Amino acid sequence: MTLRKKISSRFKDLSNTYRAWRNNYAIGVGTRVKSSASIEVGQGGSVVIGDHCLIEEHVLFRTGGGGRITLGDHVSINPFTILHGQGTLTVGNHVRIASHCAIVSFNHVFRDRDAPIHTQGLSRKGVVIEDDVWIGAHATVLDGVHIAKGCVIAAGAVVTRSTKPFGVYAGVPARRIKER
């Protein structure tokens, strides 16, 4: 069973002295969450948003199967981005995520041709995004990826493999095109 919570207007702009704690999610000091953002937490899951973050309109946090989403401090997530935390999704400090991104910390298993894909279960390797990363608009980060410190992920990139520090990655699949 999934618990769906629409962030109420009282969380629109939290003061610098208040930390909001609920049964399965926490919102840090000085964090602003727009009222149209949603947190959907499955049984055993959790969402923790650090201090001084900005969560824009229509951002969706979704966990399931005991998954966890953890954001560090000074993180901004722009409109219409989806964070799927069925596996573990960890985002460091000072990370910028542009509009319409998808970060997915699970994948469907599809080895058996004779069984429908939806009956074969999920793999949950997780996603790690280290400090000082910028992810451009419409980028996708897939399960098992570790984005290293200081990376830039270009708009529209699909990240299928882990990155090296301070690299700039672009394309489908994303490849290192230069160093910062």
Side-chain angles (χ1 to χ4, degrees), residues 22-177:
R22 298 293 176 257
N23 291 337
N24 44 19
Y25 70 94
I27 299 174
V29 173
T31 289
R32 292 181 296 151
V33 179
K34 299 295 175 87
S35 61
S36 61
S38 293
I39 297 177
E40 297 178 9
V41 181
Q43 186 174 3
S46 67
V47 174
V48 177
I49 301 172
D51 295 340
H52 307 289
C53 295
L54 175 60
I55 310 302
E56 290 285 0
E57 295 89 355
H58 305 289
V59 169
L60 173 61
F61 293 83
R62 178 178 284 167
T63 69
R68 295 181 183 354
I69 298 173
T70 305
L71 303 184
D73 299 333
H74 303 280
V75 173
S76 67
I77 304 177
N78 284 285
F80 299 101
T81 287
I82 300 173
L83 301 163
H84 287 284
Q86 281 81 343
T88 300
L89 170 53
T90 304
V91 177
N93 300 315
H94 304 283
V95 172
R96 300 291 174 255
I97 301 174
S99 299
H100 297 274
C101 291
I103 302 173
V104 184
S105 66
F106 73 99
N107 200 358
H108 292 277
V109 176
F110 54 91
R111 286 186 207 104
D112 185 353
R113 290 182 178 185
D114 297 326
I117 292 171
H118 74 91
T119 66
Q120 296 185 49
L122 301 172
S123 65
R124 294 179 174 96
K125 297 176 185 174
V127 171
V128 175
I129 300 170
E130 291 187 8
D131 296 345
D132 190 29
V133 168
W134 174 27
I135 299 175
H138 295 275
T140 301
V141 179
L142 298 178
D143 189 33
V145 167
H146 184 123
I147 297 180
K149 180 178 180 172
C151 282
V152 174
I153 307 300
V158 177
V159 185
T160 60
R161 294 184 181 171
S162 296
T163 66
K164 295 182 180 177
F166 300 101
V168 177
Y169 290 80
V172 180
R175 298 187 193 289
R176 186 180 178 119
I177 59 171

